[in-house]
Amino acid sequence: MTKMRLNLSIILAIPAWLTASAHPSSTPSTPLASLASATKRAFLPNDLSTSKTALTCGEDYGNADDGVDKLAQVATRLASSINAIADIPSGGDGAVIAEMSAPLSQAADIDAVNDAPLLADIDMLSDMLAEVVKKENPAVYDLYTTFRKLGMKRSANPDDPTPFEEMKKLAYDISPNDTLGVMKTFSIALNLVNAAEVHHRMRLVRKNEHADDTHHIGPLPMIEDSIRGTMEILLEDDGVSPDSIFAELMSQKCEIVLTAHPTEVNRKTIIRKYRNISELLAHLERPDLHPFERAEALNNLRGIIAAIWGSDEIRRVKPTVQKEAAGGCAVIESVLWDAVPSYLRKLDAQCRVTLGKKLPVDVAPIKFASWIGGDRDGNPNCTPAVTQEVLAYQKLRAAKMFLNDLHFLYSELAISSRFSPELEALAVTIENSDDELEKYRRVIGHLRRRLVRTVKDCEAKLQSLAKSP
């Protein structure tokens, strides 16, 4: 039983921590759950995104009666959604959630002290959004603020039906263009709150770590659903030996499979912007931040929010298999390429602290795979030629990423003495190199030349496939 628990805990903890640690960055992709009262939570319905999609895709309303009926349906959904996000109370006596790093939507209540920075971030981002909307579309701004005030009234007194009825009437009477603008504003507001919450969860984890005693010092967070928490529980509560935990850890394999969901409509550029917002919020908390640096970061936040407001947030055309593959590669390049090595370094340090052993250099508990470009069962557009093109493209991107890292290593390792016998022997086998004394550079330069040839071969393959009928 203990062994099963160990296996499942470690396997589940790896991808869970990757998502959080790669990104404080991680993207708002699900509706935010916000408070409906001081003790109860109201969750935003999933159909908000459906409503947005139907409206922005230029749905044909048919005759006037049909149009009114559909707008009434949208109005009801809009009013329900606005009520769910209208207000986040600023007080409460709930327990601190830092230990488990639970999402705010799962907490019993908002803590007036621990969650004060989150509320401040939400207020700041909401004000920035309101400024943009007021400048770009005053009519939508007026509707947005009116809906929000009504939602706050209903949140303060859920038993009073008057605010909700006023919201429905107001939503029923506005034009389709204004409806789209208001829904877009609330959708952006939701994602901004999610971006703030992503940063706040990491803030609470770090705060909890600093408050902990020296017994629990380590690079990974001391929460139950992380590898560090699993190790501590197995050692202290279950009596498992460090050697047994280390042996099981060495046998774990976590394969992250990339796929393209047919209903995914979020654009990579928008997802990246929300990630940048989380990063800027973290940057603003630096204690040594110069006033000019702070002002510059705030201006960057305003610029990102203005860019989101002016952008089309969803795809208008169904992506090809090739574009889906490019999106999968973008996930690796922008997140996993740095996050996985960073996580493994922390895991190695945690093993040294908790288990007294270091990870072998060749251990690879995390691997990647992809279904994109190879799904012949369900996608008629995925032909053998398309699979060949996707494979060539993925090989090209991998070669370029390795090449970029080797460029960095070449500039760093300007060492001309104290080489290991293995490196000496390898350097001797490399001919036609200008790096005679700096043998690290001699080896790395050879690897770079091979990768350059790989890049050229892949580019030629893609050009050949593009010309074929």
Side-chain angles (χ1 to χ4, degrees):
M1 183 67 180
T2 300
K3 182 175 181 180
M4 180 184 298
R5 176 181 177 182
L6 172 62
N7 290 342
L8 290 175
S9 298
I10 292 179
I11 287 177
L12 293 175
I14 289 175
W17 170 249
L18 272 177
T19 304
S21 104
H23 266 297
S25 38
S26 161
T27 320
S29 59
T30 58
L32 173 77
S34 58
L35 289 175
S37 64
T39 57
K40 294 182 180 180
R41 301 241 172 210
F43 291 87
L44 177 70
N46 287 329
D47 62 355
L48 174 60
S49 59
T50 306
S51 302
K52 178 178 69 174
T53 304
L55 284 170
T56 53
C57 287
E59 183 176 349
D60 182 9
Y61 287 102
N63 59 46
D65 292 337
D66 290 341
V68 171
D69 289 340
K70 291 191 177 184
L71 279 176
Q73 295 171 13
V74 171
T76 303
R77 291 198 298 267
L78 175 60
S80 301
S81 301
I82 291 169
N83 177 73
I85 66 172
D87 185 32
I88 298 182
S90 58
D93 299 322
V96 178
I97 62 173
E99 285 191 6
M100 296 306 298
S101 182
L104 189 63
S105 58
Q106 297 176 14
D109 202 350
I110 284 185
D111 186 278
V113 176
N114 287 287
D115 293 325
L118 170 62
L119 299 175
D121 287 342
I122 292 173
D123 286 342
M124 177 181 66
L125 296 174
S126 298
D127 289 343
M128 290 179 178
L129 175 62
E131 290 174 7
V132 171
V133 177
K134 185 176 182 179
K135 181 179 179 180
E136 297 293 331
N137 195 327
V140 168
Y141 169 78
D142 292 338
L143 289 167
Y144 166 70
T145 53
T146 302
F147 275 120
R148 183 171 175 81
K149 289 177 182 177
L150 290 171
M152 291 172 67
K153 289 181 180 178
R154 185 170 189 248
S155 179
N157 188 6
D159 296 329
D160 183 7
T162 305
F164 185 65
E165 293 301 323
E166 291 181 13
M167 281 193 288
K168 288 199 293 183
K169 184 179 184 303
L170 181 60
Y172 185 88
D173 292 336
I174 63 178
S175 67
N177 284 336
D178 286 343
T179 303
L180 174 60
V182 173
M183 295 187 73
K184 180 176 181 178
T185 304
F186 275 101
S187 175
I188 295 173
L190 279 172
N191 285 332
L192 290 176
V193 176
N194 267 355
E197 186 185 358
V198 166
H199 168 56
H200 184 61
R201 291 186 65 195
M202 297 307 300
R203 177 196 286 135
L204 290 179
V205 169
R206 292 191 178 97
K207 180 180 178 180
N208 190 54
E209 292 291 297
H210 286 304
D212 205 351
D213 56 32
T214 55
H215 176 67
H216 291 298
I217 290 178
L220 295 178
M222 185 53 195
I223 53 179
E224 187 176 2
D225 59 349
S226 76
I227 283 189
R228 178 181 172 189
T230 301
M231 288 179 179
E232 297 284 354
I233 291 172
L234 291 171
L235 287 171
E236 298 178 4
D237 297 346
D238 296 348
V240 181
S241 69
D243 289 342
S244 299
I245 296 176
F246 189 79
E248 291 294 339
L249 181 61
M250 292 302 96
S251 67
Q252 300 303 305
K253 299 296 179 184
C254 176
E255 187 175 63
I256 299 175
V257 180
L258 301 175
T259 185
H261 198 279
T263 61
E264 174 61 49
V265 295
N266 294 312
R267 299 173 62 189
K268 295 190 296 292
T269 53
I270 299 297
I271 293 174
R272 193 177 302 116
K273 284 180 172 63
Y274 286 115
R275 181 183 308 142
N276 292 340
I277 288 172
S278 294
E279 293 171 351
L280 281 171
L281 290 176
H283 176 70
L284 284 168
E285 290 200 343
R286 281 180 46 188
D288 61 338
L289 202 62
H290 189 275
F292 174 77
E293 293 175 325
R294 178 175 178 80
E296 190 176 42
L298 291 173
N299 285 333
N300 289 338
L301 274 176
R302 293 187 184 95
I304 293 173
I305 292 173
I308 292 173
W309 169 257
S311 301
D312 195 349
E313 292 190 79
I314 63 173
R315 296 188 183 103
R316 296 293 180 175
V317 180
K318 183 179 179 180
T320 63
V321 175
Q322 293 88 332
K323 288 185 178 180
E324 290 175 341
C329 289
V331 171
I332 294 178
E333 293 181 44
S334 62
V335 180
L336 298 176
W337 191 255
D338 295 321
V340 171
S342 174
Y343 172 77
L344 291 178
R345 285 192 291 270
K346 292 177 181 178
L347 179 60
D348 173 60
Q350 191 65 58
C351 287
R352 297 180 190 221
V353 171
T354 306
L355 306 178
K357 295 185 177 184
K358 64 179 182 179
L359 292 180
V361 176
D362 59 348
V363 69
I366 304 172
K367 296 184 178 181
F368 303 105
S370 175
W371 289 345
I372 308 174
D375 183 13
R376 300 269 175 75
D377 294 335
N379 191 345
N381 298 318
C382 189
T383 63
V386 168
T387 299
Q388 281 187 317
E389 185 176 352
V390 168
L391 289 174
Y393 177 80
Q394 291 174 337
K395 185 177 180 180
L396 172 64
R397 296 309 309 163
K400 286 188 174 182
M401 286 188 286
F402 279 120
L403 191 56
N404 287 337
D405 285 354
L406 288 179
H407 287 326
F408 175 78
L409 282 177
Y410 188 88
S411 66
E412 288 288 309
L413 297 177
I415 301 173
S416 56
S417 62
R418 301 178 65 186
F419 302 113
S420 67
E422 293 81 3
L423 183 65
E424 293 273 12
L426 182 59
V428 170
T429 64
I430 298 173
E431 302 176 353
N432 302 323
S433 174
D434 296 330
D435 300 302
E436 294 293 334
L437 299 178
E438 298 170 341
K439 296 183 180 180
Y440 280 111
R441 285 188 165 185
R442 186 180 184 90
V443 174
I444 293 171
H446 176 67
L447 293 174
R448 289 198 305 181
R449 289 191 294 273
R450 294 181 62 181
L451 282 172
V452 168
R453 288 198 297 268
T454 300
V455 168
K456 291 180 178 179
D457 290 343
C458 291
E459 290 174 342
K461 177 70 172 179
L462 289 172
Q463 290 178 358
S464 174
L465 290 171
K467 293 178 181 178
S468 61

